[in-house]
Amino acid sequence: MKRNDSMTRRMVIALTSVVALSWLIASSLGIMVMQDEFAEIFDSGVQETAERLLPLIADDLSERSPEAERRLVQPAGGEEYLTYQLRDREGEVLLHSHDSPSEPFDVPLVPGFADTATQRIYTVVSADGSLYLQMADAFANRREAIVEAGTALILPLLLLIPLSIIAVILVIRRTLAPVQSLRDEIGSKDSGNMAPVDDAHLPAELHPIARSVNLLLERLRAALESERAFASNSAHELRTPIAGALAQAQRLQADIPEEFAPRVDQIERSLSHLAQLAEKLLQMSRAEAGIGTSDTETDLLPIVELVLEDIGRSDIGVKRIQFHLPADAQLRGMINADAFGIVVRNLVENALVHSPVDSHVDVHIGNDNSLRVVNSGPVIDSALLPKLTTRFMRGTTQASGSGLGLAIVHHLVQQMNGKLHLTSPAAGRNEGFEARVSLPGT
């Protein structure tokens, strides 16, 4: 699966590339301009040097004294940047600089500029036309100047690129901070947190998004509340006719002849099973409506005690439930009280139904925000344990049930951001079954 690129990364790469490319283009244009300007400057320097040097050489030659001859042919120290040759009308070399070759330059004796393969030469002639001074400037010198100037423009790019990346990252992160904040706030929304998104700190460009999200949350909140209300009302409406039919069947059993008693018993069992199934289906519907979480923290111990007290008064739970509550135990969380009551009731009823009728069911509250329900019974295959949280999945048991209890618990515990652990045999035993609900710490 292809990983989605972040906006920050894409913008950093794009902006840095644009800055680097712009700098390279600007540097290239600058080098082209400098090349033309340098050529004009060098040509001007060569021309001015030649025009000033020729009269001086002509004066020294006119003296024709040993001192003048010595001064004219005395070589200069160091490497010469410009070289020259003094030639007569016939092209013979009369004088030349010490770095200039003794052979005449391969250019005609015509005033002005001329080029060889390696040099640009300017020729100037004396007033009487008897002397020609040719001043040469090597192309290598000009290329060196262009390279140094271009390097001075390009080298800062090596520092500019990393600095640009850092600057762009800082600017983009600062600019996109409201987007990150809006994303995190939207990501925190679920069935237990549908408070409107706070758009007071958002820039104008994000206000329409926040407004659309708030409208969607409002519609979703109304839909969930409607679904929850429907499930609650349906539970009440279904219980009443089923309970009435069950009462009528029990009354009928006392009034009919014994020969019809088995059929009435079958009707009573069917109605009882129907009542249990309707109750579980409505609990599953409420669980799927997302009732697991709450906006406020709830102390869950009173809920556990209330559910255990209620189940303890039923026929199946009389004198069978043992409640273990250490002094340092606690059970708290951002959890809907009704949803946690459904979890506890299903776990305890499941333990009572699937354990021997003369055995006890132990309910433990841990000091790590956990609830454990342990019952006796045969060991369940470890490969079957993960499947027990699937709807209508039952183990190898003859006990009555719908196969929805653990599925409802698993669904609600997930909404509570907790974990449901099923183990067999139970911890510290060589038989039995244990269901452990671990809730997030407070």
Side-chain angles (χ1 to χ4, degrees):
M1 182 177 178
K2 183 179 179 181
R3 182 179 61 85
N4 294 329
D5 291 335
S6 68
M7 292 175 59
T8 301
R9 175 173 177 168
R10 294 170 62 182
M11 292 178 69
V12 167
I13 294 176
L15 291 176
T16 305
S17 300
V18 169
V19 170
L21 183 60
S22 300
W23 186 270
L24 287 174
I25 293 175
S27 299
S28 300
L29 293 176
I31 291 173
M32 293 173 61
V33 173
M34 284 191 297
Q35 187 173 7
D36 293 338
E37 295 298 324
F38 281 4
E40 294 180 4
I41 294 173
F42 284 126
D43 288 349
S44 176
V46 171
Q47 180 179 352
E48 184 175 352
T49 302
E51 290 176 349
R52 289 182 176 273
L53 183 60
L54 179 59
L56 298 177
I57 295 177
D59 289 344
D60 288 340
L61 286 177
S62 64
E63 296 181 8
R64 293 298 182 179
S65 63
E67 179 62 22
E69 292 287 348
R70 187 190 67 80
R71 187 168 59 245
L72 285 172
V73 298
Q74 183 180 9
E79 183 179 357
E80 291 181 328
Y81 189 85
L82 298 176
T83 58
Y84 68 88
Q85 290 181 351
L86 182 66
R87 301 169 65 182
D88 57 16
R89 288 190 181 91
E90 285 74 25
E92 294 294 330
V93 177
L94 303 179
L95 290 173
H96 64 83
S97 60
H98 74 280
D99 282 344
S100 176
S102 56
E103 293 81 9
F105 291 137
D106 188 18
V107 294
L109 293 177
V110 177
F113 285 99
D115 295 336
T116 66
T118 59
Q119 293 177 315
R120 184 164 175 80
I121 300 174
Y122 181 74
T123 304
V124 60
V125 62
S126 62
D128 58 2
S130 61
L131 296 176
Y132 292 85
L133 181 63
Q134 293 182 322
M135 186 70 64
D137 180 19
F139 289 131
N141 297 329
R142 302 189 178 201
R143 285 194 296 268
E144 181 182 0
I146 294 297
V147 170
E148 291 178 355
T151 303
L153 288 175
I154 300 298
L155 281 181
L157 186 61
L158 301 178
L159 181 62
L160 178 65
I161 291 177
L163 290 179
S164 299
I165 293 175
I166 296 174
V168 168
I169 290 175
L170 294 177
V171 172
I172 290 178
R173 284 183 176 177
R174 186 178 182 88
T175 304
L176 295 181
V179 178
Q180 177 75 19
S181 176
L182 179 61
R183 187 197 71 174
D184 294 340
E185 193 166 356
I186 294 176
S188 67
K189 303 302 176 184
D190 53 28
S191 59
N193 178 18
M194 291 193 178
V197 173
D198 182 15
D199 59 356
H201 62 287
L202 298 177
E205 292 81 359
L206 297 180
H207 279 181
I209 298 177
R211 180 176 177 274
S212 298
V213 171
N214 287 337
L215 291 175
L216 179 61
L217 288 175
E218 182 62 30
R219 294 174 60 184
L220 185 58
R221 187 187 306 112
L224 287 177
E225 289 177 356
S226 175
E227 186 173 352
R228 291 170 183 172
F230 171 78
S232 178
N233 294 334
S234 299
H236 175 72
E237 295 297 330
L238 281 175
R239 288 191 193 101
T240 301
I242 293 176
L246 184 59
Q248 292 294 329
Q250 292 172 347
R251 186 171 181 179
L252 181 63
Q253 188 177 22
D255 297 338
I256 64 172
E258 291 186 4
E259 58 183 291
F260 297 106
R263 296 184 180 181
V264 176
D265 288 340
Q266 180 65 33
I267 293 173
E268 182 183 0
R269 287 193 298 269
S270 297
L271 288 173
S272 297
H273 178 72
L274 178 60
Q276 294 175 2
L277 180 59
E279 179 71 21
K280 297 301 181 184
L281 288 173
L282 289 171
Q283 288 181 358
M284 177 61 75
S285 175
R286 298 185 67 191
E288 291 178 343
I291 66 170
T293 56
S294 173
D295 294 333
T296 58
E297 185 178 271
T298 306
D299 184 3
L300 303 174
L301 285 178
I303 299 169
V304 176
E305 295 172 348
L306 181 62
V307 172
L308 295 183
E309 181 182 355
D310 182 53
I311 298 177
R313 291 196 295 263
S314 65
D315 294 338
I316 194 174
V318 174
K319 297 181 180 180
R320 292 187 59 193
I321 301 175
Q322 294 183 343
F323 187 38
H324 305 271
L325 181 62
D328 59 345
Q330 67 169 358
L331 203 60
R332 306 181 66 86
M334 308 287 287
I335 295 171
N336 180 275
D338 193 16
F340 193 73
I342 293 175
V343 170
V344 177
R345 179 174 291 276
N346 277 280
L347 290 177
V348 175
E349 288 181 348
N350 187 74
L352 290 170
V353 169
H354 297 287
S355 61
V357 294
D358 57 347
S359 63
H360 290 96
V361 171
D362 296 290
V363 179
H364 301 264
I365 305 297
N367 57 6
D368 57 350
N369 219 35
S370 66
L371 168 72
R372 294 170 54 229
V373 179
V374 182
N375 63 275
S376 301
V379 176
I380 300 175
D381 186 2
S382 59
L384 182 61
L385 290 176
K387 301 179 181 179
L388 294 179
T389 57
T390 305
R391 297 181 188 182
F392 304 107
M393 175 61 68
R394 305 185 65 205
T396 55
T397 177
Q398 298 300 321
S400 62
S402 60
L404 288 173
L406 290 178
I408 294 171
V409 172
H410 178 68
H411 202 80
L412 287 173
V413 170
Q414 278 189 326
Q415 293 179 22
M416 300 171 186
N417 296 320
K419 293 182 179 180
L420 174 64
H421 305 274
L422 305 179
T423 55
S424 183
R429 302 187 184 185
N430 55 11
E431 50 83 37
F433 178 82
E434 176 180 328
R436 175 188 176 92
V437 175
S438 300
L439 299 177
T442 58

